[in-house]
Amino acid sequence: MKKSLTPWRAALCLSMAACTLSVPAWAQSYPSKPIKFITNFPAGGPADFLARSVGEYITTQSKQAVVVENKAGAGGNIGADFVAKSPSDGYTVLFGIDTTFTVNPYIYKNMAFKPADLRPIMVMVSSGLLVGAHPSTGFKTIKDLIAQGKGKGLNFSSAGSGSPGHLAAEIFMDAAGITIQHVPYKGNTPAVTAVLAGEVDAGVLATPGMLPHVKTGKITALAVTSRQRSRSAPEIPTVAEAGLKDLELEVLYIAMVPAATPEPVVQWLQKAFTDALNRPDKQTQLAGMDLFYEGLIGADAVKRLSDQSQRYGRVVKSTGMKVE
């Protein structure tokens, strides 16, 4: 039997098809003015790095300026809504993570935009999360973390309600039968800072933001949520190796534009993104940040996001995850 499309995937596929029906003449000369990249989480994270990396390349190749702006808040909804309501001309591009589209629709009662209001240019890279604790907790392994979670409980920071860290905390509680108090911050960087400062016991946060502090001994690494061990710190076990395979989780870093953006513009951006991220120096930087190049476009990008959405919909339903 043919598998039916989720409403998110079906609507997005329809919007992609509609974009090919008519192509404005101006699209043939794109880009002819500065482009604005909007990141929907605070500066300093992987999405911000990707936006600036691609922006530098486009500026060099097209001689058009690229301006990066951060519009964080509401699990990425604020920045996504801004781009969704921008003109469909390719001059406003969203850089963010998949949970804005794969988790938020399930946990926010009222969203000002629909996932199908935007279409993916590319699923650029993926990254696991790192389970890390403040050294003062004395945790050395996931088992230590679980023991306290079954006793007096834990508090975890996250990059905000609906973020991968929030999702991971909910999955962790459900899988291990422990109590975790979720403490949302406005982005991954402040969430990592909370672990560094001992404001929270631990966090399951983007690996690129955690690893530098693991290497200096300021955060104790307990596991990574990716299917394979970190390339930058292969001594850290995976959650599957620690007996928590249900906690396997990858963050997808994506670029989106308004759904009605003409196909030639989308294709121009896809090529620019591909060329920018496949440069040897950028591949080295991605590896150093523990980011894995995906480069998914078109139907492949839609399927990857749809699969994530289906999985996380089940997680939200089974855990009762909600906005705090």
Side-chain angles (χ1 to χ4, degrees):
M1 180 180 294
K2 186 177 180 180
K3 189 176 181 181
S4 62
L5 297 177
T6 63
W8 182 90
R9 187 178 177 190
L12 186 53
C13 287
L14 287 172
S15 72
M16 289 174 69
C19 292
T20 65
L21 297 180
S22 61
V23 180
W26 61 260
Q28 304 301 326
S29 59
Y30 177 90
S32 60
K33 63 180 182 179
I35 303 170
K36 187 180 294 183
F37 284 175
I38 303 297
T39 65
N40 57 350
F41 285 91
D48 189 72
F49 164 78
L50 291 164
R52 295 182 190 282
S53 296
V54 175
E56 290 170 2
Y57 179 81
I58 288 177
T59 297
T60 299
Q61 296 299 311
S62 70
K63 309 305 179 187
Q64 293 294 340
V66 175
V67 179
V68 178
E69 293 185 10
N70 304 98
K71 293 184 180 295
N77 285 349
I78 292 175
D81 180 54
F82 178 86
V83 176
K85 291 179 169 57
S86 297
S88 302
D89 56 10
Y91 289 98
T92 308
V93 181
L94 177 69
F95 279 72
I97 58 177
D98 67 282
T99 52
T100 301
F101 304 93
T102 59
V103 176
N104 289 5
Y106 297 108
I107 65 173
Y108 283 85
K109 290 183 179 179
N110 297 300
M111 288 177 60
F113 73 98
K114 299 184 292 295
D117 291 340
L118 295 116
R119 62 177 294 192
I121 295 171
M122 179 180 286
V123 175
M124 298 173 285
V125 301
S126 62
S127 172
L129 303 177
L130 189 147
V131 186
H134 190 273
S136 66
T137 62
F139 301 149
K140 300 298 182 185
T141 66
I142 286 284
K143 290 182 179 179
D144 297 333
L145 198 68
I146 292 173
Q148 179 163 313
K150 288 184 175 180
K152 66 177 185 178
L154 300 159
N155 51 42
F156 273 27
S157 64
S158 85
S161 294
S163 69
H166 181 197
L167 186 71
E170 296 288 345
I171 295 173
F172 199 179
M173 280 196 289
D174 191 53
I178 61 178
T179 300
I180 296 174
Q181 176 63 45
H182 169 233
V183 184
Y185 287 78
K186 292 183 178 180
N188 194 73
T189 299
V192 173
T193 300
V195 179
L196 282 169
E199 294 176 9
V200 294
D201 298 316
V204 189
L205 301 166
T207 302
M210 296 280 269
L211 273 181
H213 306 296
V214 169
K215 293 184 180 297
T216 60
K218 295 179 180 178
I219 290 178
T220 302
L222 306 178
V224 291
T225 68
S226 48
R227 286 169 289 180
Q228 63 281 330
R229 291 195 177 201
S230 164
R231 293 177 293 182
S232 301
E235 70 278 6
I236 304 172
T238 66
V239 288
E241 291 170 333
L244 282 171
K245 186 172 176 58
D246 286 347
L247 191 52
E248 282 188 348
L249 181 68
E250 292 178 329
V251 183
L252 304 181
Y253 292 89
I254 58 178
M256 311 278 277
V257 288
T261 302
E263 189 65 21
V265 172
V266 172
Q267 291 177 2
W268 191 97
L269 288 166
Q270 287 170 341
K271 184 179 187 308
F273 277 54
T274 300
D275 293 345
L277 297 176
N278 275 296
R279 288 175 293 167
D281 63 322
K282 291 304 173 187
Q283 285 290 311
T284 299
Q285 285 182 299
L286 292 178
M289 297 173 69
D290 233 37
L291 296 171
F292 294 85
Y293 179 72
E294 299 280 346
L296 300 178
I297 62 174
D300 291 333
V302 171
K303 183 179 186 306
R304 187 72 182 276
L305 292 170
S306 180
D307 289 347
Q308 292 278 81
S309 179
Q310 290 183 61
R311 180 195 177 193
Y312 296 157
R314 293 191 294 269
V315 169
V316 170
K317 185 176 181 179
S318 66
T319 64
M321 180 178 170
K322 59 184 179 180
V323 176
E324 297 177 32

